[in-house]
Amino acid sequence: MMKEIKQVIASCDQLIQDEKFNELVEYYTEDAVLVVKPGIEARGKAEIKTAFAKIAQYFDNSIKPVEGEMKMIIAGDTVLVLAQTFIEASEKAVKQSDFSMERRATYIFKQVDHNWLCAIDNSYGTSLLD
């Protein structure tokens, strides 16, 4: 199960880098939530797709998410993923960003029709409490 979820996350990271947002949103539940930045959330596939397009533009169309260490807590068909996530981008994009390029993300995945889908995508993790 952990291997499957890691593969889903790796596929999503590649789709983000390739800016294939139509394919990317198929890895999200219908009512998924993406934390765009502290205080701003995208809800549902349409908003998430639009948000990723804007995020790509913000990062000068050079964004590349890279996962570091991961821990998973499993409860039946639901998994909490704690991940060290690095955001790589062009030098220009990194300089303009107001946010850390190293994050401690939290993701929640649910199994839907034998597929692992992201229900909550929070790359900011507990830093939302700051």
Side-chain angles (χ1 to χ4, degrees), residues 48-66:
I48 290 170
K49 178 182 168 186
T50 299
F52 272 114
K54 289 180 181 177
I55 291 166
Q57 186 177 21
Y58 176 83
F59 283 105
D60 200 28
N61 298 89
S62 66
I63 191 168
K64 180 183 176 186
V66 177

Side-chain angles (χ1 to χ4, degrees), residues 45-111:
K45 290 183 177 187
E47 284 186 20
I48 290 170
K49 178 182 168 186
T50 299
F52 272 114
K54 289 180 181 177
I55 291 166
Q57 186 177 21
Y58 176 83
F59 283 105
D60 200 28
N61 298 89
S62 66
I63 191 168
K64 180 183 176 186
V66 177
E67 303 302 326
E69 188 175 343
M70 282 187 206
K71 300 287 183 190
M72 296 186 198
I73 301 170
I74 302 164
D77 65 351
T78 305
V79 178
L80 169 63
V81 179
L82 307 173
Q84 181 183 29
T85 303
F86 302 95
I87 307 297
E88 295 179 0
S90 70
E91 188 175 329
K92 175 185 168 191
V94 170
K95 284 182 181 179
Q96 79 172 4
S97 180
D98 295 331
F99 303 100
S100 173
M101 302 304 272
E102 180 182 349
R103 302 179 182 173
R104 301 243 177 212
T106 54
Y107 310 116
I108 295 180
F109 281 84
K110 295 182 75 165
Q111 194 168 45

Side-chain angles (χ1 to χ4, degrees), residues 4-18 20 23-24 27 65 67:
E4 291 175 63
I5 293 170
K6 283 184 177 185
Q7 181 55 50
V8 167
I9 292 170
S11 295
C12 289
D13 286 348
Q14 187 62 53
L15 291 170
I16 290 167
Q17 182 178 346
D18 295 342
K20 293 182 177 179
E23 294 175 44
L24 175 65
Y27 286 95
E67 303 302 326

Side-chain angles (χ1 to χ4, degrees), residues 33-35 104-108 118 120-126 128:
V33 177
L34 167 70
V35 177
R104 301 243 177 212
T106 54
Y107 310 116
I108 295 180
C118 186
I120 299 174
D121 182 341
N122 173 20
S123 70
Y124 298 91
T126 59
L128 292 179

